[in-house]
Amino acid sequence: GAQLYDARVRGELGLGRWPNVVTSIQFERILSASGPSKGVVQRPSDAKHPVKVAWIQCVGSRDRTCEKDYCSSVCCMYAIKEAMIAKAHIEGELDTVIFNMDIRTFGKDYEKYYLRAKDQDGVRFEKARIHTIDEIKETGNLRLRYVDETGNLKNEEFDMVVLSVGLQVPASTIETAKRLNIDLNHYNFAATHPFTPVNTSRPGVFACGIFQGPKDIPSSITEASAAACAAGRQLADARGKLIRTVERPAEIKVEGE
């Protein structure tokens, strides 16, 4: 499993202070039919339908200030997905902006999905690193200040802000790795070789999914299959050697007894 980065550490982004600043997983629940608002997009402070929503990328990823300067792999795509679903729920009346350093769409047909969001569905992408979020007390809206690609300083007001938080290894998984004497890298992911990505430092113990490094569901399934295959290969020579044959007692005549 994975643990989400605790964005409350980044106090300037307002999570926990401003009610209309939420994490990506919280916004995912808002969009869900089984969520608190039954899939109706509402902001937490007053249940108002938002008109403008901003996503801030790389919160807890690609950031040396919090010792998380690796890419969490999934954040760009889930932000695009959330923006498109939100627009569909509000029937195109929602203005969505994704603030990013760059969009990383490296999976199969991911680039097509990104281009569809940008060119057809009206999701706006701004190359900017948001430093601070301020709440407007009278309305509960949030003001973002950023410098656009032309170097101009801009102030923009949003009803909600979604923080695209990164992935990290849970403390319980780190403890398990220590018990199994598995080497970890300085980010606490399993130390593996590029040509043998599921092999750990200990023979016979394999890693897959996010414990090997941040990745999406299809990649995790592929690695899980590889790890299972590698484990099966280790067991091939021993397969069938411990099978016991039932010895049946000899038949005897019981006629007349």
Side-chain angles (χ1 to χ4, degrees):
Q3 182 178 349
L4 297 177
Y5 175 74
D6 186 0
R8 291 175 296 182
V9 175
R10 297 279 305 277
E12 71 277 8
L13 296 179
L15 184 66
R17 288 194 300 150
W18 317 133
N20 294 322
V21 177
V22 298
T23 65
S24 46
I25 194 69
Q26 290 171 332
F27 192 76
E28 195 84 22
R29 290 298 300 149
I30 292 173
L31 294 175
S32 175
S34 62
S37 56
K38 309 298 182 184
V40 178
V41 182
Q42 299 175 339
R43 67 181 194 169
S45 65
D46 52 13
K48 173 186 172 184
H49 294 295
V51 177
K52 290 184 68 175
V53 180
W55 278 259
I56 298 179
Q57 299 305 104
C58 299
V59 178
S61 296
R62 302 176 69 187
D63 188 351
R64 291 184 177 180
T65 62
C66 58
E67 298 181 354
K68 298 285 188 297
D69 50 331
Y70 56 84
C71 174
S72 286
S73 176
V74 299
C75 313
C76 288
M77 294 310 299
Y78 75 54
I80 296 172
K81 180 203 73 173
E82 288 179 353
M84 293 177 71
I85 292 176
K87 288 178 78 69
H89 282 204
I90 306 184
E91 298 180 354
E93 298 176 1
L94 182 65
D95 185 9
T96 55
V97 185
I98 298 178
F99 292 93
N100 63 92
M101 290 189 287
D102 53 61
I103 297 295
R104 296 188 165 183
T105 52
F106 50 82
K108 183 178 181 180
D109 287 340
Y110 286 5
E111 182 74 5
K112 290 182 180 179
Y113 193 74
Y114 159 60
L115 294 175
R116 174 186 158 192
K118 181 169 68 77
D119 299 333
Q120 299 179 27
D121 291 358
V123 178
R124 181 156 58 97
F125 293 85
E126 288 284 350
K127 287 189 179 296
R129 191 78 162 164
I130 302 299
H131 179 269
T132 305
I133 298 174
D134 297 315
E135 185 186 52
I136 302 171
K137 293 184 179 180
E138 294 77 15
T139 61
N141 289 352
L142 302 154
R143 182 184 293 113
L144 275 60
R145 288 178 294 172
Y146 64 95
V147 176
D148 64 13
E149 289 189 276
T150 62
N152 295 320
L153 179 63
K154 290 189 174 183
N155 288 280
E156 198 164 350
E157 193 174 318
F158 293 89
D159 298 292
M160 284 183 69
V161 171
V162 183
L163 305 180
S164 293
V165 289
L167 305 177
Q168 58 189 18
V169 178
S172 58
T173 303
I174 297 172
E175 178 62 27
T176 300
K178 290 179 179 178
R179 289 172 180 266
L180 294 174
N181 293 321
I182 296 172
D183 291 342
L184 304 178
N185 62 24
H186 59 293
Y187 299 127
N188 289 320
F189 296 106
T192 59
H193 191 275
F195 292 141
T196 52
V198 298
N199 290 6
T200 66
S201 59
R202 182 174 177 180
V205 180
F206 305 97
C208 61
I210 293 174
F211 181 45
Q212 193 271 334
K215 57 183 60 69
D216 59 5
I217 293 171
S219 299
S220 296
I221 293 172
T222 300
E223 277 194 357
S225 298
C229 184
R233 184 180 180 184
Q234 295 281 326
L235 298 171
D237 294 339
R239 186 174 292 118
K241 290 187 176 180
L242 297 180
I243 295 176
R244 296 181 179 180
T245 303
V246 177
E247 296 182 4
R248 301 182 182 277
E251 293 184 2
I252 59 175
K253 289 185 178 181
V254 292
E255 184 181 359
E257 293 185 6

